[in-house]
Amino acid sequence: FFLSEMSKEPMPSYLLPDGAVSFADVDYNVSSLAYSFSVNDNFLLAYHRPNGITRARVWEGASHSFQNTGFSVLGNQGRALVMELVDRAFMATALPSHARYLGVLSELPSYAKPLLGVGSNLLNMPQYEEGTMENLVEIFGSFLYPIALILQLPLYMYVTVMEKEKGLRQAQLNSGMSLLAYHASTFLFNLLLYALIVSFMVVVGHAVGLSFFAETSHAVLGVFFFGWGLAMVAFAAFLASLINSSRTATVVGYSVVLFGTGLGIMLSQGVYGDNPTRPEMPKMPAALNLLPQFAMIRGVYLMNWGCAMKQECVSGFGDGQLDACIGFLYLDFVLYSLAGFYLDKVLPKPNEPSSHWLFFLPEGWRTRRKRRRVAPIRSLAEILSNSDRSDGPSAAVASLDEDVCEEERRADACAEDEHELVVRDLSKDFGGNVAVGGVGLVVDRGECFGLLGENGAGKTTLIKMLSCSLQPTTGTAHLCGHDVTEKPERVQKLVGICPQFDILWDDLTVREHLLLFLRLKGAFSARKDVGSILTE
């Protein structure tokens, strides 16, 4: 209903009373007054007269849906006003000087009334106040703040998956960086970016006077923001471990931001939020907080609702629902960090080998991968005796090198830790296209071993398998006794790779390059020898 149409409203609007008062005792001599009263608190707006006692006077052009909801019904305000009217009427009759007292009281400045202990906090209604932009931000902060806090999640996912997709992460691992150190450095960098964004939000919130930032307990805000930062970065790493395409990571990231945030707002603020139809705010099921996005949205709602609607910002810990949300943020950080690290180790990746799904157990407790083994080769004629080539075994023998066969026999007969490098029947199959087929070789300490072959012969593929950059299809390879698929981090600490194109930086000196790769290898004790190495 528009304001201009209120006088034309049909029944029962103008036939319903605003309230009723029943007097039990009235004695002006001893200033005694006893009464009971009630007001019209029907939830339907049409059952209230538009006089400002139990129904708010709304502006013209307000939406029909807003005027027909309980947000325009003044239940508690109407009760307070009825009490004020009765008490003032009684005082005016029992104490004639009361009217003069009210007149003097009205002339006092507002700051003097609390000092003198006089005055009343009850105001005649409706009371008109001009809304400001800060008020609107406060009211809608429960929608705006969660979006601002989670908007960087797709960026974290994209960068993490892009490094995995382009082989940039594997290049760092090949240089000697451990997988744990890589995850830790990525996590700290993302957390630093988040801290900068949150710091900017807090500074701006204080500058414009938003009570959510200015009046909420700084300890509660600090613990909440830090917990959400940990949980969000861990959640991004968990999602990135499931994806191998940077495009897919971008789509999934923004889907989580848009649809996940929308669903979280609907649940935490709509289904389990505070509204006039409920005597108290319901509790959101704890299981929903296992999704850190929902725990963050619920926490923001609980804090902002107190500031914007109750005018009582959170002053400390003790709110059961808010404390539960904060606790779940730290629990989610632990759970998603462990899950993300585990899945990143065992799930297949485009440029890296995957670990055994029980890699965290001792090697003797887990089942080893089954790889095809070849029988020892005793003679070249024996291996070609069953050949069905039309030109016979003699032509095949002529096309093979006896040294190759001898190297394979040597690799099959020796122990895995007997030589620096032992390769047995190592093969790589790309969807039916064999890039490397059954290579066997042995390399001793101090030996210079060269791979010669035309383009497409499999040299690069073999090097990638030996450097733990590619998962073999069959066969085994051991470097200093370490299996390249079972213990890739130990192998990468021992291997140095110089690719076809150098990996040097123009803005780093020779000394800085040496220090960089020593740090990647974890050889911190060797840094003191850099000067003598350069001198020599």
Side-chain angles (χ1 to χ4, degrees):
F1 305 99
F2 296 105
L3 191 60
S4 59
E5 300 176 352
M6 286 184 176
S7 61
K8 303 177 183 178
E9 292 184 29
M11 295 188 298
S13 175
Y14 275 90
L15 299 182
L16 291 178
D18 299 309
V21 180
S22 175
F23 293 95
D25 179 46
V26 179
D27 191 342
Y28 295 109
N29 296 324
V30 295
S31 299
S32 173
L33 174 64
Y35 67 95
S36 61
F37 72 96
S38 63
V39 298
N40 178 15
D41 58 358
N42 193 292
F43 182 68
L44 295 178
L45 188 66
Y47 285 84
H48 293 262
R49 296 196 299 171
N51 57 5
I53 297 179
T54 60
R55 171 174 170 176
R57 295 179 62 187
V58 296
W59 64 92
E60 284 202 50
S63 66
H64 182 276
S65 60
F66 174 79
Q67 298 185 46
N68 279 278
T69 63
F71 293 103
S72 298
V73 175
L74 307 177
N76 292 328
Q77 297 91 328
R79 295 183 183 93
L81 181 57
V82 171
M83 292 177 61
E84 179 77 357
L85 294 175
V86 173
D87 292 344
R88 286 191 178 187
F90 176 79
M91 292 297 295
T93 304
L95 187 62
S97 61
H98 183 67
R100 295 192 298 271
Y101 165 75
L102 292 178
V104 174
L105 189 62
S106 62
E107 298 297 331
L108 292 175
S110 59
Y111 64 85
K113 294 179 181 180
L115 298 178
L116 298 176
V118 296
S120 174
N121 292 325
L122 297 177
L123 301 175
N124 291 330
M125 292 172 286
Q127 179 184 3
Y128 297 96
E129 293 184 358
E130 183 179 354
T132 63
M133 182 58 66
E134 290 78 5
N135 299 136
L136 293 177
V137 174
E138 290 284 3
I139 294 174
F140 293 101
S142 299
F143 301 91
L144 301 178
Y145 300 151
I147 297 176
L149 289 172
I150 200 177
L151 199 56
Q152 61 269 33
L153 181 138
L155 173 64
Y156 301 156
M157 292 181 57
Y158 171 80
V159 173
T160 302
V161 176
M162 183 270 294
E163 289 186 349
K164 179 170 57 175
E165 180 184 23
K166 301 296 185 181
L168 301 177
R169 185 175 82 165
Q170 186 60 31
Q172 299 177 63
L173 299 179
N174 287 339
S175 298
M177 175 180 283
S178 67
L179 185 60
L180 181 60
Y182 170 81
H183 282 299
S185 60
T186 302
F187 185 92
L188 292 176
F189 180 76
N190 291 339
L191 192 62
L192 177 60
L193 292 179
Y194 164 79
L196 294 176
I197 294 174
V198 170
S199 299
F200 176 78
M201 289 179 59
V202 172
V203 170
V204 173
H206 275 274
V208 301
L210 297 177
S211 58
F212 178 82
F213 298 99
E215 300 180 19
T216 303
S217 169
H218 292 173
V220 174
L221 276 182
V223 174
F224 174 79
F225 283 144
F226 184 66
W228 165 240
L230 295 175
M232 178 181 60
V233 177
F235 189 55
F238 167 78
L239 295 177
S241 67
L242 305 174
I243 304 171
N244 291 326
S245 170
S246 56
R247 290 185 177 181
T248 304
T250 303
V251 174
V252 172
Y254 281 106
S255 298
V256 170
V257 169
L258 297 177
F259 298 106
T261 303
L263 180 60
I265 290 175
M266 181 185 68
L267 291 175
S268 65
Q269 303 180 22
V271 178
Y272 301 105
D274 195 2
N275 63 64
T277 64
R278 296 168 175 164
E280 61 181 10
M281 182 185 301
K283 293 184 178 180
M284 191 172 76
L288 294 178
N289 290 324
L290 290 175
L291 284 175
Q293 192 174 6
F294 289 177
M296 179 270 293
I297 295 173
R298 181 66 170 178
V300 169
Y301 170 73
L302 293 174
M303 290 186 287
N304 189 70
W305 180 261
C307 292
M309 307 304 293
K310 297 182 178 180
Q311 304 301 316
E312 296 178 358
C313 294
V314 176
S315 58
F317 297 99
D319 185 327
Q321 293 196 56
L322 179 58
D323 293 348
C325 292
I326 295 176
F328 267 99
L329 288 178
Y330 287 90
L331 175 63
D332 293 339
F333 156 65
V334 175
L335 295 179
Y336 285 104
S337 295
L338 295 177
F341 182 79
Y342 174 79
L343 294 176
D344 187 69
K345 289 275 290 185
V346 302
L347 293 181
K349 295 172 283 293
N351 298 308
E352 304 174 31
S354 57
S355 300
H356 192 277
W357 64 286
L358 293 177
F359 68 89
F360 50 88
L361 297 178
E363 186 174 356
W365 294 11
R366 59 179 185 253
T367 305
R368 293 181 58 86
R369 300 175 187 269
K370 295 182 179 181
R371 295 187 177 92
R372 181 172 55 87
R373 294 289 305 277
V374 295
I377 303 175
R378 295 184 175 83
S379 66
L380 187 61
E382 179 181 348
I383 194 173
L384 298 175
S385 59
N386 296 324
S387 173
D388 56 355
R389 294 178 52 167
S390 59
D391 49 359
S394 58
V397 170
S399 64
L400 294 177
D401 193 335
E402 178 62 27
D403 293 338
V404 174
C405 299
E406 178 61 30
E407 191 71 15
E408 292 179 348
R409 288 194 294 268
R410 182 187 175 196
D412 191 77
C414 69
E416 296 171 345
D417 56 352
E418 185 177 347
H419 304 277
E420 299 301 303
L421 176 63
V422 177
V423 179
R424 293 174 178 162
D425 191 30
L426 198 64
S427 302
K428 183 60 181 178
D429 187 346
F430 294 99
N433 297 320
V434 179
V436 176
V439 172
L441 57 90
V442 175
V443 178
D444 292 315
R445 179 181 293 273
E447 180 179 350
C448 181
F449 189 92
L451 290 173
L452 300 178
E454 59 185 8
N455 292 338
K459 304 182 297 298
T460 302
T461 303
L462 177 60
I463 294 297
K464 286 184 176 181
M465 289 189 289
L466 297 180
S467 61
C468 309
S469 298
L470 197 62
Q471 182 77 39
T473 303
T474 59
T476 61
H478 290 78
L479 182 69
C480 299
H482 303 305
D483 193 321
V484 297
T485 57
E486 298 291 341
K487 301 177 181 179
E489 293 189 6
R490 296 186 182 181
V491 172
Q492 288 165 341
K493 291 287 185 183
L494 301 172
V495 172
I497 300 177
C498 181
Q500 183 176 1
F501 303 98
D502 65 73
I503 53 174
L504 305 179
W505 285 267
D506 295 335
D507 52 351
L508 294 183
T509 64
V510 175
R511 177 185 181 85
E512 290 170 341
H513 273 98
L514 291 177
L515 292 174
L516 170 63
F517 286 104
L518 285 175
R519 293 190 183 101
L520 291 175
K521 293 287 186 182
F524 300 103
S525 59
R527 289 183 295 176
K528 61 181 182 299
D529 301 327
V530 171
S532 60
I533 294 175
L534 293 176
T535 303
E536 295 176 359

